[in-house]
């Protein structure tokens, strides 16, 4: 399943964002949390966490928004599990924005049960599956179904259930839940197994499972735990970053695909991932080329083995196409060489004024094939060299090198990569430093994910998964998804330095991913943020980057808007609540307010409301 870019939605004339600060005195409201508040340290630290688990916990959103039956509902409802393990409801009046907190501790007596704590519980999760109906996972493998009374001051326990694997309660993380007929279907992830590779490094696998629990009230289910029904289970190398249940299928976004566990046991076959987990070298290969531009020209630099004779290089520059073919050099046969056959350029060039040069760099290992392309339309900013994505062998988009003096470093990057490729395995760099040596800042923005569609009841793939994409922003959870303009299956995808908003299909066999808007230079501005905790979008309105904050300073929110073809776009910034004493930002969601969308942020000791912000 491919994602097609609509060229008319790209903004080649974009010049930058214009700061428009949000007036905090009128827009930001705060209230302290009851009891002891919230904490990121609500799970046992006695068990070892793998890198995927740490990443998943860092991105975890602790705040959930309650579904409502009508936009005219006088109050919005939110839920979270506090530091003491109590499920807490927050009511927000849509006119006065007065906060009311109601605790329902009955549902979480066993959040830290001793028999599961030593195995590493996940964070508690609460999800609203219907107006006044919530499912709470305590993270240790136990689930509670609550029915909130219409007055919102009391709750009735409809049932309590356990996730049993091999006759043992298994810690898991709840990702999504939906009512289906007379039952609730849940999607959870759990650690499956840890293997030792040939170089003795641990290789961990994770399961995603679909579970079913009854929705009807049963007096017996309120006094004892009943095992959930496991509908299906699949295995992969990572934990899902996002999941959405609609129209009888799950959309699962992860850095790997998921397959039946028997596939791994019987054949040893690995799921497809965005990178080879246990292969050498530890660093990522550099992009196949680097490029920069001015108002009237582009420069493209391609590293080649310095032993390449000029007679082996064939370049043809046409008005709208580029062909580059390099005959293989035997002594460097393991180096991928460029092969662009009539590759369509993003815009027209003046072929008469364009040229190429080959510099073998003397006795160095790599030289540079440099293409100088004169633009046909002066002043047009190209978002990429090519009109469409590169070939599967080099499927990464290559961002523009903004500083021309840095462009030539691609040769050093390739030399470093190949040296590591041939290095003695016993001379590896320390594992803690293996992910810190990428010279490109923009390349670390976003998460490299593939989108899979799975049948809710069977787990069968209902369409082919997408190619791996750099996802910059997920949809902000909202109580009125259909009327808020925020498609729960929409993602902001990185293309060059831009962020492209795609609406995903509800029924993938019928619809396609549709490019509907563009946030220009979003990847570039996000790369400058060093404390970002969450990045969400609110449909076509804005993309939001929210900082984590700390003990010495409070978090900020940055909003970036679609330029709609103009050279400038609005950027908003606001402090989220008081100073660092209110703790880190742990959750965020959207509700409908008197003037439109309102942002609600959950900090460790404070609840913050921002309105208006888009």
């Amino acid at each position: 399943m491919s994602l097609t870019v609509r060229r008319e939605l790209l903004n080649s004339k974009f010049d930058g964002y214009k700061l428009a600060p949000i007036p905090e005195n009128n827009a930001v409201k705060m209230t302290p949390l009851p009891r002891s508040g919230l904490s990121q340290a609500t799970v046992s630290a006695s068990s070892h966490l793998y890198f995927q688990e740490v990443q998943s916990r860092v991105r975890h959103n602790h705040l959930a928004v309650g579904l409502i039956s009508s936009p005219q509902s006088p109050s919005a409802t939110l839920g979270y599990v506090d530091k003491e393990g109590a499920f807490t409801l927050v009511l927000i009046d849509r006119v006065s924005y007065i906060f009311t907190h109601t605790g329902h501790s009955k549902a979480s007596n066993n959040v830290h049960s001793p028999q599961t704590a030593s195995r590493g519980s996940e964070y508690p999760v609460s999800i609203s599956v219907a107006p006044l109906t919530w499912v709470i996972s305590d993270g240790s493998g136990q689930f509670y179904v609550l029915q909130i009374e219409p007055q919102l001051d009391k709750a009735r326990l409809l049932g309590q259930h356990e996730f049993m694997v091999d006759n043992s309660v298994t810690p898991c993380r709840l990702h999504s839940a939906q009512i289906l007929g007379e039952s609730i279907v849940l999607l959870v992830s759990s650690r499956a197994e840890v293997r030792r590779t040939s170089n003795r490094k641990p290789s961990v696998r994770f399961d995603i499972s679909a579970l079913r629990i009854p929705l009807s009230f049963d007096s017996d289910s309120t006094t004892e735990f009943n095992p959930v029904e496991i509908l299906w289970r699949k295995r992969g190398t990572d934990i899902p970053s996002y999941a959405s249940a609609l129209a009888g299928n799950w959309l699962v976004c992860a850095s790997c695909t998921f397959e039946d566990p028997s596939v791994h046991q019987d054949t040893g076959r690995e799921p497809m991932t965005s990178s080879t987990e246990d292969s050498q070298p530890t660093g990522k290969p550099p992009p196949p080329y680097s490029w920069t531009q001015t108002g009237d020209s582009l420069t493209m630099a391609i590293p080649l083995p310095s032993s390449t004779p000029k007679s082996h290089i064939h370049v043809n520059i046409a008005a709208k196409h580029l062909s580059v073919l390099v005959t293989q050099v035997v002594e460097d046969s393991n180096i991928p060489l460029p092969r662009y056959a009539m590759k369509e350029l993003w815009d027209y060039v003046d072929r008469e004024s364009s040229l190429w040069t080959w510099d073998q760099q003397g006795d160095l290992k790599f030289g540079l094939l440099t293409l100088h392309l004169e633009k046909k339309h002066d002043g047009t900013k190209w978002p990429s060299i090519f009109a469409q994505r590169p070939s599967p062998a080099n499927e990464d988009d290559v961002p523009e090198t903004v500083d021309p003096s840095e462009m030539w470093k691609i040769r050093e990057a390739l030399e470093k990569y190949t040296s590591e490729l041939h290095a003695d395995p016993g001379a590896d760099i320390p594992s803690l430093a293996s992910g810190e040596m990428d010279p490109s800042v923009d390349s670390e923005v976003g998460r490299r994910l593939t989108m899979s569609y799975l049948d809710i009841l069977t787990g069968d793939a209902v369409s082919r998964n997408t190619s791996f994409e750099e996802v910059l922003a997920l949809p902000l959870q909202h109580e009125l998804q259909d009327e808020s303009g925020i498609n729960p299956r929409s993602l902001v995808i990185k293309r060059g330095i831009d962020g492209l908003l795609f609406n995903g299909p509800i029924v993938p066999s019928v619809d396609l991913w549709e490019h509907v808007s563009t946030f220009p230079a979003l990847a570039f501005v996000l790369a400058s943020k060093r404390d970002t905790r969450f990045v969400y979008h609110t449909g076509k309105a804005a993309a939001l980057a929210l900082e984590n904050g700390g003990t010495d300073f409070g978090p900020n929110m940055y909003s970036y808007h679609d330029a709609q073809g103009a050279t400038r776009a609005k950027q908003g910034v606001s402090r989220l609540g008081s100073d660092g004493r209110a703790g880190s930002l742990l959750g965020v969601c959207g509700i409908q307010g008197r003037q439109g969308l309102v942002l609600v942020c959950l900090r460790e000791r404070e609840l913050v409301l921002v309105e208006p912000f888009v």
Side-chain angles (χ1 to χ4, degrees):
M1 185 181 294
S2 61
L3 280 67
T4 303
V5 177
R6 293 173 57 189
R7 183 173 174 181
E8 65 271 19
L9 294 180
L10 301 179
N11 187 351
S12 60
K13 301 183 182 300
F14 182 73
D15 190 45
Y17 286 96
K18 182 178 180 180
L19 182 62
I22 298 173
E24 296 184 21
N25 292 338
N26 299 325
V28 179
K29 296 176 174 58
M30 300 162 283
T31 183
L33 296 182
R35 296 189 179 90
S36 56
L38 202 66
S39 173
Q40 299 182 79
T42 55
V43 293
S44 172
S46 59
S47 64
H48 175 75
L49 293 179
Y50 291 91
F51 177 70
Q52 299 95 321
E53 294 170 315
V54 173
Q55 276 195 321
S56 178
R57 295 188 182 199
V58 169
R59 298 191 297 256
H60 182 68
N61 191 339
H62 293 256
L63 185 62
V65 64
L67 300 179
I68 58 176
S69 56
S70 169
Q72 285 72 43
S73 173
S75 300
T77 306
L78 301 95
Y80 65 90
V81 178
D82 70 10
K83 187 176 182 179
E84 297 176 353
F87 174 61
T88 302
L89 278 180
V90 181
L91 279 64
I92 303 178
D93 187 277
R94 299 186 193 279
V95 177
S96 65
Y97 294 142
I98 294 176
F99 298 82
T100 305
H101 298 84
T102 305
H104 300 286
S105 58
K106 171 65 178 177
S108 49
N109 289 336
N110 295 299
V111 167
H112 304 301
S113 54
Q115 67 269 29
T116 58
S118 61
R119 285 178 287 165
S121 296
E122 290 286 347
Y123 279 135
V125 175
S126 56
I127 295 180
S128 174
V129 294
L132 305 179
T133 303
W134 290 77
V135 175
I136 296 95
S137 165
D138 68 1
S140 68
Q142 297 172 336
F143 303 92
Y144 308 83
V145 182
L146 281 184
Q147 182 72 45
I148 310 299
E149 298 295 335
Q151 295 78 16
L152 304 178
D153 58 344
K154 296 180 181 179
R156 181 174 62 153
L157 182 63
L158 297 183
Q160 47 191 18
H161 308 269
E162 291 179 325
F163 177 40
M164 304 287 291
V165 177
D166 297 329
N167 297 318
S168 176
V169 180
T170 302
C172 61
R173 176 178 170 182
L174 176 61
H175 293 275
S176 183
Q178 185 185 49
I179 292 180
L180 200 63
E182 297 299 319
S183 61
I184 303 174
V185 181
L186 317 175
L187 184 72
V188 303
S189 65
S190 57
R191 188 194 300 176
E193 61 180 1
V194 179
R195 300 176 179 174
R196 290 287 173 179
T197 61
S198 57
N199 58 5
R200 300 189 60 80
K201 292 182 179 180
S203 177
V204 63
R205 299 292 180 265
F206 299 92
D207 285 345
I208 59 171
S209 306
L211 315 178
R212 179 159 55 189
I213 58 178
L215 182 58
S216 58
F217 174 76
D218 183 353
S219 59
D220 292 336
S221 65
T222 62
T223 58
E224 59 182 24
F225 286 91
N226 296 311
V228 299
E229 178 186 0
I230 302 176
L231 298 176
W232 53 264
R233 185 174 50 158
K234 289 182 177 292
R235 186 159 296 175
T237 58
D238 200 6
I239 301 170
S241 295
Y242 181 72
S244 166
L246 286 173
N249 63 74
W250 302 103
L251 166 65
V252 179
C253 304
S255 66
C256 66
T257 56
F258 293 90
E259 299 176 343
D260 292 333
S262 58
V263 172
H264 305 277
Q265 295 171 357
D266 297 339
T267 67
R269 193 174 113 207
E270 298 293 343
M272 184 172 66
T273 61
S274 60
S275 60
T276 305
E277 181 180 350
D278 300 314
S279 64
Q280 293 291 331
T282 56
K284 295 188 297 185
Y289 60 87
S290 62
W291 68 285
T292 188
Q293 64 180 313
T294 62
D296 57 5
S297 67
L298 298 99
T299 303
M300 180 180 183
I302 304 174
L304 298 176
S306 58
S307 57
T308 304
K310 189 173 182 179
S311 59
H312 285 205
I313 303 173
H314 308 278
V315 179
N316 181 40
I317 303 174
K320 192 66 166 60
H321 294 83
L322 174 67
S323 297
V324 178
L325 176 63
V326 180
T327 306
Q328 189 72 59
V329 181
V330 176
E331 56 266 35
D332 292 288
S333 59
N334 61 324
I335 304 301
L337 297 177
R339 188 180 183 86
Y340 302 115
M342 290 297 290
K343 192 73 175 177
E344 184 182 3
L345 298 170
W346 191 85
D347 200 0
Y348 289 91
V349 298
D350 184 349
R351 59 176 302 181
E352 299 299 328
S353 302
S354 301
L355 54 91
W356 62 275
T357 61
W358 166 231
D359 184 356
Q360 291 182 290
Q361 298 290 326
D363 58 352
L364 297 179
K365 188 174 183 179
F366 291 97
L368 282 176
L369 171 63
T370 305
L371 284 68
H372 303 275
L373 307 177
E374 293 292 326
K375 296 180 180 178
K376 190 75 171 178
H377 305 113
D378 291 355
T380 301
K381 185 177 181 181
W382 291 29
S384 61
I385 288 284
F386 297 111
Q388 298 180 7
R389 304 201 67 192
S391 62
N394 297 310
E395 66 176 2
D396 286 336
D397 283 326
V398 178
E400 177 188 358
T401 302
V402 179
D403 184 355
S405 66
E406 298 289 319
M407 190 177 70
W408 318 110
K409 291 186 177 180
I410 188 171
R411 181 179 59 81
E412 287 83 356
L414 183 59
E415 186 159 353
K416 176 182 176 181
Y417 174 75
T418 55
S419 297
E420 187 180 345
L421 185 69
H422 297 293
D424 180 1
D428 285 347
I429 60 173
S431 60
L432 289 177
S434 62
E436 302 174 358
M437 307 182 72
D438 190 350
S440 173
V441 175
D442 288 356
S443 66
E444 295 300 324
V445 178
R447 284 168 269 168
R448 190 162 176 75
L449 309 175
T450 181
M451 283 62 81
S452 304
Y453 283 87
L454 306 175
D455 185 274
I456 282 185
L457 296 180
T458 66
D460 295 335
V462 297
S463 73
R464 293 184 60 184
N465 61 288
T466 68
S467 58
F468 286 94
E469 303 285 351
E470 296 286 349
V471 178
L472 298 178
L474 300 173
L476 178 71
Q477 58 169 326
H478 192 278
E479 58 187 350
L480 287 170
Q481 295 282 11
D482 295 335
E483 301 180 32
S484 66
I486 308 174
N487 185 331
R489 291 194 166 177
S490 54
L491 303 169
V492 176
I493 304 295
K494 179 184 174 185
R495 284 292 188 276
I497 62 173
D498 293 338
L500 277 55
L501 177 63
F502 282 87
N503 281 342
I506 305 301
V507 182
S509 60
V510 177
D511 305 315
L512 299 174
W513 285 85
E514 181 186 6
H515 178 201
V516 296
S517 185
T518 298
F519 298 106
L522 181 63
F524 181 76
V525 295
L526 290 179
S528 66
K529 305 293 183 293
R530 287 293 175 264
D531 188 41
T532 304
R533 176 83 184 242
F534 303 111
V535 182
Y536 291 113
H537 72 80
T538 62
K540 297 180 181 180
L544 310 175
L546 301 105
E547 293 178 335
N548 180 67
T551 56
D552 298 325
F553 56 92
N556 292 318
M557 178 197 71
Y558 302 89
S559 60
Y560 302 96
H561 301 252
D562 186 349
Q564 298 180 341
T567 58
R568 293 272 181 174
K570 176 184 173 183
Q571 172 190 347
V573 59
S574 176
R575 176 77 67 181
L576 297 177
S578 56
D579 59 22
R581 288 174 293 182
S584 300
L585 178 68
L586 298 182
V588 60
C589 67
I591 63 172
Q592 197 68 20
R594 58 195 175 200
Q595 298 183 34
L597 186 62
V598 176
L599 192 72
V600 184
C601 302
L602 179 67
R603 298 178 63 183
E604 291 181 276
R605 287 173 287 280
E606 185 177 69
L607 201 63
V608 182
L609 184 148
V610 184
E611 184 266 353
F613 68 98
V614 294

